[in-house]
């Protein structure tokens, strides 16, 4: 069976998903949350989720969208951001462009008072 309408593709990653596309995505998945596998009931808050997150290389197009309950969607978004941050840190470290960490300041040698303690004693 051929598709009667062309697939929606956002011009940019920030392009909002039109209501007509949200309806098509909901109906294509039978109203089932793709994260929990539970049917979304009338009046429950839900979002269109990018199955492969935009931040991790997914596309802003209809075939990459699925309905998700709002609380599950927010948890998945937090996981996606954490994954991207970890990958970015590892990549920067590998390429040698990560900022150098400063070592903790020394506590001084045993037996020799620090300059700060000498100043405090003089007061």
């Amino acid at each position: 069976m051929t598709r009667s309408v062309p697939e929606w593709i956002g011009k940019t990653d920030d392009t909002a998903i039109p209501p007509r596309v949200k309806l098509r995505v909901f109906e294509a998945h039978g109203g089932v949350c793709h994260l929990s596998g539970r049917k979304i009931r009338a009046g429950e808050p839900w979002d269109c989720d990018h199955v492969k997150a935009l931040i991790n290389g997914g596309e802003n197009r209809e075939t990459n969208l699925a309905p998700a309950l709002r609380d599950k969607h927010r948890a998945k978004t937090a996981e996606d951001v954490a994954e991207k941050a970890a990958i970015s840190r590892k990549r920067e470290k590998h390429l040698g462009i990560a900022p150098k960490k400063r070592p903790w300041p020394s506590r001084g040698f045993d037996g020799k008072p620090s300059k700060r303690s000498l100043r405090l004693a003089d007061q």
Side-chain angles (χ1 to χ4, degrees), residues 100-107:
K100 299 288 183 194
K101 293 183 180 177
R102 294 184 179 191
W104 288 96
S106 173
R107 66 178 185 89

Side-chain angles (χ1 to χ4, degrees), residues 52-92:
K52 183 173 182 185
L54 297 175
I55 196 169
N56 293 328
E59 296 178 327
N60 195 15
R61 63 186 322 150
E62 192 172 345
T63 55
N64 190 31
L65 295 173
L69 290 165
R70 187 157 295 154
D71 58 338
K72 303 289 184 192
H73 181 229
R74 290 189 176 161
K76 179 185 175 277
T77 300
E79 290 173 9
D80 291 338
V81 170
E83 176 187 349
K84 177 65 176 180
I87 290 169
S88 180
R89 277 192 309 272
K90 289 176 187 176
R91 188 160 196 268
E92 287 174 357

Side-chain angles (χ1 to χ4, degrees), residues 98-119:
K100 299 288 183 194
K101 293 183 180 177
R102 294 184 179 191
W104 288 96
S106 173
R107 66 178 185 89
F109 297 102
D110 293 327
K112 181 181 175 188
S114 68
K115 291 179 183 177
R116 182 168 189 254
S117 64
L118 288 174
R119 273 188 263 131

